[in-house]
């Protein structure tokens, strides 16, 4: 009997039409792990405020991102399948899904179920664990499979931030930029989370949202902020970047509640103010180029940095379909 593998990425609108973007936002933001407030106020917030008013603007941003193949996040994930199948061999059946929109997690699981696989290994494509990302995927898979008459063995990869080949792809991509330019500073920008979500997952009140992230150990191993700092340290070590030359920061805030700090937009302004004119940015929370990398970090932050007095802001590309990244995935499956 064959073993099943399901790769799950975040998701994307089916098109750049406002109606499709609104549909995507409603599904995404209605997830109780994404906006973790009671159901009724969450429904009102998403359906009466965020989706109606944000969809037109977001559709415009997606138009800057989409290519003839559609969303890079989706087609780069799909492009992993055939080479990963070749690496794993006939013993495995590999499918992919999006946590929100299409192809759905349910459709991916049903494809594996139809192949009568003996087990299913779900790999959420988020290097660092967070309840709103990896936790949501696990929640969805369990909710779907609990109704099956026969439930095969199911395994999850909850994080892979310390995987050697994953780290090497980031370092390799960064090295190519560093060979061309002598950068003054390096920014590692991760998707942010509300502070309350970090505190909810804190073990023994470990997470203080400060210097507690300076070391990575068993008590904070699932703290998203600590994982981001650890990812940065490991990449910086490979590239020989001293601690004083890089900054970890967080982007993509939503709403008025405090999110984990420092905020990327504040950091870039401070760097320009302090005379750092050439900055190289990394986005190690994303394995595929997407709205948050290409548009937010690559374009919007570049404009803000230059307006603040900076001269050069470059973005290191995501892992996308790099062969070494596919080898990393094969290792996660077989490891």
């Amino acid at each position: 009997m064959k073993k099943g593998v399901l790769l799950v990425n975040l998701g994307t609108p089916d098109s750049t039409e406002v109606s499709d973007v609104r549909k995507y936002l409603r599904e995404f933001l209605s997830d109780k792990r994404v906006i973790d407030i009671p159901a009724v106020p969450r429904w009102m917030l998403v359906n009466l405020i965020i989706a109606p008013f944000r969809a037109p603007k977001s559709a415009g941003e997606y138009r800057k991102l989409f290519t003839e193949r559609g969303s890079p996040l989706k087609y780069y994930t799909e492009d992993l399948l055939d080479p990963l199948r070749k690496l794993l061999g006939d013993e495995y059946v590999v499918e992919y899904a999006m946590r929100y929109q299409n192809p759905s997690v349910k459709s991916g699981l049903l494809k594996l179920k139809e192949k009568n696989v003996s087990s299913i290994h779900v790999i959420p494509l988020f290097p660092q664990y967070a309840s709103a990302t990896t936790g949501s995927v696990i929640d969805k898979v369990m909710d779907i499979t609990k109704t099956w008459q026969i439930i095969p063995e199911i395994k999850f990869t909850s994080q892979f931030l310390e995987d050697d080949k994953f780290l090497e792809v980031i370092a390799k991509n960064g090295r190519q930029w560093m060979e061309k330019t002598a950068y003054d500073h390096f920014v590692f920008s991760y998707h942010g989370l509300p502070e309350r979500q970090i505190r909810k997952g804190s073990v023994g009140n470990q997470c203080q949202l400060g210097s507690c992230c300076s070391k990575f150990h068993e008590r904070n191993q699932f703290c998203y902020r600590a994982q981001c700092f650890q990812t940065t340290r490991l990449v910086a070590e490979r590239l020989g970047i001293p601690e004083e030359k890089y900054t970890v920061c967080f982007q993509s805030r939503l709403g008025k509640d405090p999110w984990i700090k420092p905020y990327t937009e504040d950091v870039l302004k401070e760097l320009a103010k302090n005379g750092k004119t050439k900055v190289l940015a990394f986005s190690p929370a994303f394995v595929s180029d997407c709205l948050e990398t290409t548009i937010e970090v690559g374009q919007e932050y570049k404009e803000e940095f230059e307006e603040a007095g900076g001269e050069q802001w470059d973005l290191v590309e995501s892992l996308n379909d790099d062969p070494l990244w596919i080898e990393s995935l094969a290792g996660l499956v077989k490891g």
Side-chain angles (χ1 to χ4, degrees):
M1 295 180 71
K2 296 187 176 184
K3 301 175 183 178
V5 177
L6 184 65
L7 307 178
V8 185
N9 215 329
L10 182 69
T12 181
D14 289 335
S15 77
T16 59
E17 294 297 319
V18 173
S19 57
D20 282 335
V21 174
R22 186 181 296 114
K23 182 180 179 182
Y24 168 74
L25 290 175
R26 281 175 173 159
E27 183 182 2
F28 174 37
L29 299 175
S30 293
D31 187 338
K32 63 183 181 297
R33 287 181 176 268
V34 175
I35 298 183
D36 54 335
I37 62 176
V40 172
R42 181 175 63 248
W43 186 95
M44 296 176 67
L45 176 66
V46 172
N47 292 278
L48 301 181
I49 300 175
I50 299 178
F53 292 100
R54 189 172 177 179
K57 180 181 178 181
S58 294
E61 297 301 299
Y62 276 111
R63 291 187 191 106
K64 300 175 186 177
L65 176 73
F66 271 48
T67 70
E68 292 181 356
R69 292 188 64 190
S71 167
L73 182 143
K74 184 174 181 179
Y75 65 70
Y76 276 128
T77 306
E78 186 175 5
D79 287 349
L80 299 173
L81 297 186
D82 285 344
L84 182 57
R85 287 164 179 159
K86 290 178 182 177
L87 277 181
L88 292 175
D90 294 338
E91 183 183 354
Y92 293 86
V93 179
V94 183
E95 299 294 344
Y96 86 107
M98 297 287 134
R99 173 60 185 87
Y100 310 104
Q101 295 301 286
N102 301 301
S104 67
V105 173
K106 183 176 182 179
S107 69
L109 288 170
L110 288 177
K111 285 182 180 180
L112 296 177
K113 183 182 180 184
E114 289 167 1
K115 296 290 179 65
N116 199 30
V117 294
S118 61
S119 63
I120 297 176
H121 187 163
V122 180
I123 303 181
L125 296 177
F126 312 107
Q128 303 83 19
Y129 177 90
S131 174
T133 52
T134 303
S136 178
V137 171
I138 294 172
D139 197 355
K140 187 69 172 180
V141 169
M142 294 175 69
D143 189 53
I144 294 168
T145 56
K146 73 181 182 183
T147 64
W148 292 4
Q149 187 66 30
I150 298 173
I151 302 176
E153 177 185 356
I154 299 177
K155 177 182 178 181
F156 298 95
T157 293
S158 60
Q159 59 183 29
F160 50 88
L161 63 111
E162 295 183 301
D163 180 77
D164 284 339
K165 290 182 178 177
F166 159 73
L167 293 167
E168 184 52 38
V169 181
I170 300 174
K172 175 175 68 72
N173 291 344
R175 206 173 286 120
Q176 292 173 353
W177 286 92
M178 293 168 69
E179 288 171 353
K180 296 182 289 186
T181 302
Y183 293 98
D184 301 318
H185 204 79
F186 301 86
V187 165
F188 290 79
S189 183
Y190 296 82
H191 198 290
L193 288 176
E195 289 183 353
R196 67 176 181 274
Q197 292 190 10
I198 299 295
R199 291 196 173 94
K200 281 182 179 180
S202 178
V203 177
N205 201 32
Q206 169 68 33
C207 297
Q208 300 298 317
L209 299 167
S211 60
C212 53
C213 293
S214 62
K215 292 184 179 180
F216 192 59
H217 46 77
E218 63 179 15
R219 294 190 68 189
N220 67 3
Q221 63 179 311
F222 286 107
C223 169
Y224 175 75
R225 189 172 184 270
Q227 292 172 76
C228 293
F229 276 84
Q230 176 69 352
T231 306
T232 300
R233 283 190 291 267
L234 294 172
V235 173
E237 286 174 6
R238 288 171 178 261
L239 291 172
I241 304 173
E243 187 174 356
E244 65 271 13
K245 289 199 69 173
Y246 68 77
T247 302
V248 178
C249 46
F250 301 91
Q251 64 187 79
S252 308
R253 280 181 292 165
L254 177 65
K256 296 181 179 180
D257 289 345
W259 282 43
I260 51 178
K261 301 177 182 67
Y263 301 139
T264 304
E265 57 265 38
D266 293 342
V267 166
L268 65 87
K269 292 174 184 176
E270 190 67 21
L271 288 173
K273 179 181 177 181
N274 292 334
K276 307 300 183 184
T277 59
K278 297 180 180 180
V279 172
L280 182 63
F282 294 78
S283 292
F286 303 93
V287 300
S288 307
D289 284 329
C290 56
L291 196 69
E292 288 80 3
T293 60
T294 305
I295 304 302
E296 187 172 11
V297 180
Q299 296 182 18
E300 293 177 3
Y301 288 159
K302 176 181 175 67
E303 292 174 2
E304 290 183 27
F305 182 65
E306 291 173 349
E307 288 175 3
E311 296 177 7
Q312 184 173 349
W313 173 281
D314 294 318
L315 170 65
V316 177
E317 60 270 38
S318 298
L319 283 60
N320 295 328
D321 58 353
D322 191 292
L324 193 59
W325 164 224
I326 298 169
E327 288 182 26
S328 173
L329 287 170
L332 294 176
V333 172
K334 293 186 174 183

